Amino acid sequence: MNALLGLGKYLFAIPFAIFGLFHFMGADGMAGMVPVPGGVVWVYLTGIGLLAATVAILIGKMDKLATFLLGIMMLSFALLIHFKGFMSQDPAASASFLKDIALAGASWLYAGHLSKDKAVIG
């Protein structure tokens, strides 16, 4: 059982790396989802953030700060990108909204209970 539980860190972190890569591969399409100045730049910055969080989780350095900030980013995605579709009962947007809320919560659970490097914040 412990061997299976040990996979949890990887099952949590690796999808963020894939999401980060998707931000680089589909930056133009993602930039159109939220009309903000410099949209493509924001997509690249969030992609970097996703990849950085993945690395922090996998190596256990700065992982408390990384997962705290990751939770903020995921909650921001839920509210800024998917909330309008969730309220209009769009199934795809609703699934993305709920996924991002769950990932924000999981990120904060990791920061509060599983992080290895507590040097930066509490």
Side-chain angles (χ1 to χ4, degrees):
M1 182 195 258
N2 285 337
L4 188 58
L5 294 175
L7 290 174
K9 175 172 85 168
Y10 302 99
L11 293 175
F12 179 66
I14 298 300
F16 287 115
I18 296 167
F19 290 147
L21 292 174
F22 286 169
H23 277 68
F24 288 97
M25 295 174 1
D28 291 329
M30 287 183 185
M33 293 175 76
V34 179
V36 295
V40 174
V41 172
W42 284 109
V43 173
Y44 287 135
L45 286 174
T46 56
I48 290 168
L50 292 165
L51 293 171
T54 300
V55 171
I57 293 166
L58 293 178
I59 67 173
K61 298 290 183 188
M62 306 288 282
D63 58 342
K64 185 167 190 163
L65 176 63
T67 52
F68 174 74
L69 294 173
L70 181 62
I72 291 172
M73 185 165 64
M74 298 312 298
L75 184 61
S76 297
F77 288 172
L79 296 175
L80 297 173
I81 299 169
H82 305 299
F83 183 71
K84 183 177 178 183
F86 174 75
M87 292 306 290
S88 68
Q89 299 178 355
D90 173 24
S94 295
S96 293
F97 175 79
L98 294 172
K99 171 201 55 122
D100 288 348
I101 294 290
L103 288 172
S107 296
W108 289 332
L109 277 170
Y110 189 103
H113 301 288
L114 299 173
S115 61
K116 304 286 184 226
D117 188 357
K118 300 177 184 345
V120 178
I121 57 174

